[in-house]
Amino acid sequence: MEGSVTLWLPDVWPLQKHRHPWGRTYREGKLARWEYDESYCDAVKKTSPYDSGPRLLDIIDTAVFDYLIGNADRHHYESFQDDEGASMLILLDNAKSFGNPSLDERSILAPLYQCCIIRVSTWNRLNSLKNGVLKSALKSAMAHDPISPVLSDPHLDAVDQRLLSVLATVKQCTDQFGMDAVLVEDRMPLSHL
């Protein structure tokens, strides 16, 4: 089953569209730079708005979210216009989510494993959702929805398995760089500034 939601915002909240730094090319035989350049994150960290403020951490949170839901199609994101990079990311297009529950597209996590940083609050939340807690919470949240079950059991199982992959990816980063370098306080300036 497919569904769609349309959202109209008041004119006083104009949105600005941004190309996702880890977007795909969608051209046969043409790789995006992040797909072949091991130091790609270093280049992103030198580019506005990722060179200051929370935007890079927002991108990494988005990568984790997209990986959990199986959305490998994040080529753009929005923010409020004229916010000078201060507003949060706004994710409007999740249309390719929850496709094949047997397919885990690890490249969705490229911002995480290439930059090897994640918010402490995101890390703590992810850890609190392991051991079936995420699946149970999702099932409970959707139990009374008029179109229940919104997600099939294979999709719920996939989300739980993907969560373990995210945790393993962060562990690889902490093993390589140490907890202090990988886990970033939510309001702390990033070390590359």
Side-chain angles (χ1 to χ4, degrees), residues 141-187:
M142 296 180 290
H144 301 292
D145 194 288
I147 62 167
S148 180
V150 176
L151 295 176
S152 67
D153 283 334
H155 283 105
L156 292 169
D157 291 338
V159 169
D160 260 2
Q161 282 303 119
R162 291 174 187 149
L163 173 61
L164 296 178
S165 294
V166 172
L167 296 174
T169 300
V170 175
K171 182 168 182 349
Q172 287 174 335
C173 289
T174 59
D175 287 351
Q176 184 176 359
F177 300 107
M179 294 283 265
D180 290 340
V182 175
L183 300 182
V184 178
E185 289 295 333
D186 293 29
R187 305 247 181 250

Side-chain angles (χ1 to χ4, degrees), residues 103-124:
L103 177 64
D104 289 344
E105 181 56 56
R106 181 163 162 68
S107 67
I108 300 169
L109 286 178
L112 175 61
Y113 61 71
Q114 288 181 351
C115 296
C116 271
I117 57 172
I118 190 167
R119 285 184 169 104
V120 170
S121 61
T122 303
W123 173 244
N124 290 338

Side-chain angles (χ1 to χ4, degrees), residues 24 35 50 79 84 103 110 127 159-160 166 171 178:
R24 300 172 191 282
E35 293 178 286
Y50 311 105
S79 69
E84 286 140 26
L103 177 64
N127 273 294
V159 169
D160 260 2
V166 172
K171 182 168 182 349

